[in-house]
Amino acid sequence: MNLKIIIGDITKIKCDIIVNAANSTLLGGGGVDGAIHRAAGKELLKECRTLGGCREGQAKITGGYKLFAEYVIHTVGPIYSGGNRNEENILISCYKNSLALAKEYNASSVAFPVISAGAYGYPKEEALRVAVDTIISEEGDMDVYIVLFDKELVDIAKKRFYEYMDN
Ligand code: ADP
């Protein structure tokens, strides 16, 4: 995959698919989930209600409604609780399953937030490292963006993943 790390609000990104760091109900929440639901409009929640939730590490797709993106992929990251509960593998699955779904829908571009790095408490640097490593190790020529929203992650990215940044 072609990876670029950018800074901004994922609801404003112009690409085929954006990924939501959802919770297992898929019925909306805070953070990026709340922002995506607000920007997409009520129809998104209506479709999410038909999906019956989603397990950690899995991903489901809906329309993008008022967003620029045609689709939203909802994936449920692990809630971090020390690192010994398979959190890393679950987080890797979020990226892999989301990318597989994006490929299935013939996306040429997809944008991710840093899954689990907010309310779910995954250490930010590790959450970003898992995102980068998993995305670059996947086969395919999709343009994949990681969208950073908080300053701490921007500082980490500038120090450690500068080669992928273009702003
Ligand atoms: P989780 O519950 O998976 O931790 P959060 O939404 O709490 O999800 O946080 C995940 C990451 O998304 C955090 O780094 C947070 O700063 C970021 N984030 C919040 N709002 C936005 C947004 N509008 N665009 C991109 N990233 C966002």
Side-chain angles (χ1 to χ4, degrees), residues 58-108:
Q58 301 296 305
K60 292 192 177 177
I61 192 162
T62 66
Y65 300 96
K66 291 186 188 165
L67 294 165
F68 177 91
E70 194 175 353
Y71 299 103
V72 178
I73 289 174
H74 306 263
T75 188
V76 182
I79 298 171
Y80 192 80
S81 57
N84 294 318
R85 295 212 177 136
N86 212 27
E87 291 97 326
E88 181 169 343
N89 287 326
I90 296 168
L91 190 55
I92 290 170
S93 297
C94 288
Y95 289 99
K96 287 189 181 233
N97 287 325
S98 298
L99 288 170
L101 204 46
K103 212 185 249 180
E104 219 177 278
Y105 278 71
N106 294 314
S108 54

Side-chain angles (χ1 to χ4, degrees), residues 11-34:
T11 65
K12 309 260 160 69
I13 300 293
K14 293 197 163 38
C15 64
D16 297 337
I17 298 183
I18 67 170
V19 177
N20 182 16
N23 60 51
S24 58
T25 68
L26 298 185
L27 299 180
V32 71
D33 195 5

Side-chain angles (χ1 to χ4, degrees), residues 8-11 21-22 30-33 35 77 113-121 124 147-150 153:
D9 175 347
I10 201 167
T11 65
V32 71
D33 195 5
V114 185
I115 299 162
S116 287
Y120 279 7
K124 287 179 190 281
V147 184
L148 306 180
F149 194 70
D150 64 87
L153 276 170

